[in-house]
Amino acid sequence: MTAPLNATPIEEGPVRPSAHFDVLIAGAGPAGCSAAITLAPRYRVALVDRSDQQTFRIGESLCPAGRRLLTKMDLWQDFLRQGHQACYGNRSIWGSDGVQETDFLRDPDGNGWHLDRARFDFWLRNHAVAKGSQLYSPLYRQ
Ligand SMILES: Cc1cc2nc3c(=O)[nH]c(=O)nc-3n(C[C@H](O)[C@H](O)[C@H](O)COP(=O)(O)OP(=O)(O)OC[C@H]3O[C@@H](n4cnc5c(N)ncnc54)[C@H](O)[C@@H]3O)c2cc1C
């Protein structure tokens, strides 16, 4: 169970007229959070999402190359501490009846990861806020 983030609830109304931002990012999924994490040290960033951090999201694997992005954002070591499970290949049926297999044994980036997706997204949002982004999203309620 994750604790609520230090976010401004959207239900409280629109962004204060006195709030000034250089960048507004719509969507605090992995893409939006990564942009916020990268920009927040230099710019005033508002990160806006219509869903709270507990909303179910599809997609629970991280491919090996994800390591490069997390390393660039200086999050790789912290990611390793999150307890996601290593995975060594993908088997998928997508767009046809055939099974497609990709093994990561020869991947220069190493293995991939089975993500606890809600925890992963919450972790990224936390880092975006820690870097100085202002997150506007509905409050998480237990
Ligand atoms: C069936 C399926 C399986 C997938 N499996 C994988 C997988 O295993 N591994 C993988 O890496 N990728 C997978 N993907 C792709 C996956 O969706 C993306 O990797 C990842 O979720 C993309 O992150 P994102 O931040 O771009 O978008 P999202 O994670 O979709 O985040 C978008 C955010 O924007 C918010 N938002 C949307 N509209 C608005 C609005 N109007 N105003 C405010 N906020 C808004 C949403 O609430 C959400 O938080 C899968 C996709 C599908 C469809």
Side-chain angles (χ1 to χ4, degrees):
M1 184 66 68
T2 48
L5 265 177
N6 181 21
T8 301
I10 278 175
E11 290 93 327
E12 280 185 4
V15 176
R16 285 174 289 116
S18 60
H20 290 90
F21 297 102
D22 302 309
V23 183
L24 184 132
I25 300 170
C33 286
S34 299
I37 288 165
T38 305
L39 293 171
R42 289 194 217 164
Y43 300 97
R44 294 168 297 179
V45 174
L47 184 56
V48 182
D49 203 291
R50 65 182 172 190
S51 65
D52 66 32
Q53 69 264 25
Q54 295 294 311
T55 303
F56 172 79
R57 273 171 240 277
I58 205 150
E60 295 174 331
S61 65
L62 183 68
C63 67
R67 171 187 186 143
R68 294 187 208 175
L69 298 174
L70 292 170
T71 301
K72 272 191 176 173
M73 293 189 284
D74 201 22
L75 298 182
W76 177 241
Q77 293 304 323
D78 196 40
F79 172 82
L80 293 177
R81 288 190 283 271
Q82 301 307 308
H84 300 289
Q85 288 192 339
C87 87
Y88 300 96
N90 280 337
R91 182 177 295 156
S92 59
I93 302 173
W94 192 285
S96 75
D97 290 339
V99 178
Q100 295 218 334
E101 288 189 350
T102 311
D103 77 62
F104 301 148
L105 295 178
R106 286 155 292 176
D107 193 309
D109 291 306
N111 57 274
W113 299 89
H114 294 295
L115 297 177
D116 176 333
R117 181 66 193 272
R119 196 147 49 81
F120 179 71
D121 283 17
F122 177 71
W123 173 78
L124 276 178
R125 284 189 182 197
N126 246 326
H127 276 288
V129 170
K131 293 275 183 190
S133 309
Q134 178 63 51
L135 174 64
Y136 294 90
S137 79
L139 272 183
Y140 159 62
R141 297 190 181 82
Q142 284 189 332

